[in-house]
Amino acid sequence: MSMFPAKYEALPVHVNEDGKPSPAKKRCIARILAATVLLVMLLTTSARFISRRGLSGIFGMKCHHSAAFGGLPTYYTLPSGDKIPSVALGVWKAGKDEVGQAVKTALNVGYKHIDGAWVYRNEEEVGQALVESGVKREDVWLTSKLWNIFHAPEDVEKALDISLKALGVDYLDLYIIHWPLALNKDGSNPYPTWKALEEMVDKGKVRNIGLSNFSIRRMQNLTANPLKYQPAVNQVEINFWFPQVELLEWSKENNLLLEAYSPLGSDGRVGASLSVPEVKEIAAELGITPAQVIISWHVQRGTVVLPKSVTPSRVEENLHITKLPDRLFEKLENAARAHPPKRGLNPSKGWGIHFDIFD
């Protein structure tokens, strides 16, 4: 059963003057029911031949495949109807006088998605790069994130306005709660923060709202409340060393799109990721780079992937992905599941909190 409440709409009923369904309508309804049963049988049979990991559309998330991505989805359709590109340039830790050039390079080679945050301290340079690129605002997907000190409902719009001004835009495509707690005020309950984000959607300052670093339990706690807008995404660490198998499968079952940060392994583990024997073997067989193998694997699993780099050649390389043959996809998937999962980022101790933020 989905964690998200279904939306029901009352349908009109055709009746005669005596209040009973007409014979014509009865026959119409019968034909519709028969067709529905046949369709269900066909879908059930077809599903046996489809990889449960490769097609996120089975779980309700629509995706669009393109030859440009070697048959992989170029974007996913969110509940709002907006189409979020499946590969983004992440700008976390992209330094001053570097991030702008990286953004311009990305847009020049075909990226349609830039993933940033207020706390990255580079939104102004990103915004200037957008202007200098000449790319129309509507042709690039912009994501930013609400930092932990702005969770109080009265602070949400102020924080959003700071990011909008720095980026030089009047709306964001996606605004995310960066972490599931506040650091300067009582942040044990994200629901009031979420309601304030919903107001930003209604004001037209944000098109979609989402979460980041939320565990299944935390998402269930939030969505147990009445929500006007359901979370569009959950952005979390996912990589070869921490494949998030349970979260990925749960999210697909509940029609929630995951975004993978640190997709190549997080700080200090990128080299190890690119040197995984299975990754190197697949790269050699397909004639692509190890990084392209891993990024392709992420998208093939049904996630948005957020590789980051300020090196022009790598920025371009990361966009050129391709669908892995089933046997190679399974080979890499099995290798990622074969070792104990190890998270690369956990700020709990550094923030001085007495519990694990991911519990």
Side-chain angles (χ1 to χ4, degrees), residues 215-256:
S215 64
I216 293 175
R217 181 180 67 86
R218 289 183 181 277
M219 284 188 289
Q220 289 173 326
N221 285 345
L222 172 63
T223 57
N225 299 283
L227 304 183
K228 185 173 185 179
Y229 303 112
Q230 297 295 336
V233 305
N234 185 23
Q235 187 176 128
V236 295
E237 178 185 352
I238 307 177
N239 48 58
F240 178 85
W241 310 110
F242 196 64
Q244 294 267 38
V245 174
E246 180 183 5
L247 179 61
L248 178 63
E249 295 182 354
W250 181 89
S251 297
K252 285 185 175 182
E253 290 168 359
N254 289 279
N255 302 329
L256 178 65

Side-chain angles (χ1 to χ4, degrees), residues 80-319:
S80 66
D82 289 345
K83 296 176 173 58
I84 182 170
S86 58
V87 179
L89 176 70
V91 297
W92 179 41
K93 291 191 174 181
K96 183 177 174 57
D97 300 326
E98 291 183 326
V99 65
Q101 186 56 52
V103 169
K104 286 187 285 187
T105 297
L107 295 175
N108 184 56
V109 300
Y111 282 77
K112 304 292 185 183
H113 185 174
I114 307 297
D115 180 85
W118 173 84
V119 77
Y120 298 168
R121 306 294 187 181
N122 55 20
E123 287 189 319
E124 189 170 337
E125 189 172 339
V126 170
Q128 184 60 36
L130 291 172
V131 172
E132 294 175 2
S133 73
V135 175
K136 294 180 180 179
R137 170 64 188 91
E138 60 268 26
D139 292 336
V140 59
W141 182 282
L142 291 180
T143 296
S144 189
K145 305 178 188 73
L146 180 74
W147 188 240
N148 308 350
I149 62 174
F150 300 123
H151 279 212
E154 63 271 20
D155 293 337
V156 169
E157 187 167 15
K158 299 174 187 176
L160 172 59
D161 287 343
I162 292 172
S163 288
L164 291 174
K165 181 178 179 181
L167 291 166
V169 298
D170 57 8
Y171 73 93
L172 291 175
D173 296 280
L174 177 61
Y175 199 39
I176 293 173
I177 297 178
H178 208 150
W179 291 91
L181 86 166
L183 293 181
N184 61 333
K185 299 179 182 179
D186 179 15
S188 59
N189 181 9
Y191 182 57
T193 307
W194 187 261
K195 298 305 292 181
L197 287 176
E198 292 182 331
E199 293 178 9
M200 299 304 98
V201 176
D202 290 338
K203 287 187 174 184
K205 291 186 174 185
V206 177
R207 293 183 61 90
N208 302 274
I209 49 180
L211 309 170
S212 182
N213 298 300
F214 272 61
S215 64
I216 293 175
R217 181 180 67 86
R218 289 183 181 277
M219 284 188 289
Q220 289 173 326
N221 285 345
L222 172 63
T223 57
N225 299 283
L227 304 183
K228 185 173 185 179
Y229 303 112
Q230 297 295 336
V233 305
N234 185 23
Q235 187 176 128
V236 295
E237 178 185 352
I238 307 177
N239 48 58
F240 178 85
W241 310 110
F242 196 64
Q244 294 267 38
V245 174
E246 180 183 5
L247 179 61
L248 178 63
E249 295 182 354
W250 181 89
S251 297
K252 285 185 175 182
E253 290 168 359
N254 289 279
N255 302 329
L256 178 65
L257 182 64
L258 289 187
E259 296 189 316
Y261 72 72
S262 297
L264 297 180
S266 73
D267 290 350
R269 299 197 297 184
V270 174
S273 298
L274 302 181
S275 298
V276 168
E278 290 84 357
V279 171
K280 294 175 69 176
E281 291 166 5
I282 294 171
E285 181 170 339
L286 299 181
I288 60 178
T289 68
Q292 289 169 334
V293 169
I294 295 173
I295 296 170
S296 299
W297 170 69
H298 280 288
V299 176
Q300 199 158 337
R301 295 177 102 213
T303 70
V304 172
V305 61
L306 314 170
K308 60 185 182 70
S309 179
V310 296
T311 304
S313 61
R314 290 176 181 170
V315 170
E316 183 171 6
E317 172 190 331
N318 291 343
L319 185 63

Side-chain angles (χ1 to χ4, degrees), residues 2-20:
S2 172
M3 75 166 178
F4 300 131
K7 293 183 179 179
Y8 294 95
E9 180 181 358
L11 299 177
V13 178
H14 297 278
V15 298
N16 292 321
E17 292 181 356
D18 60 1
K20 297 180 181 180

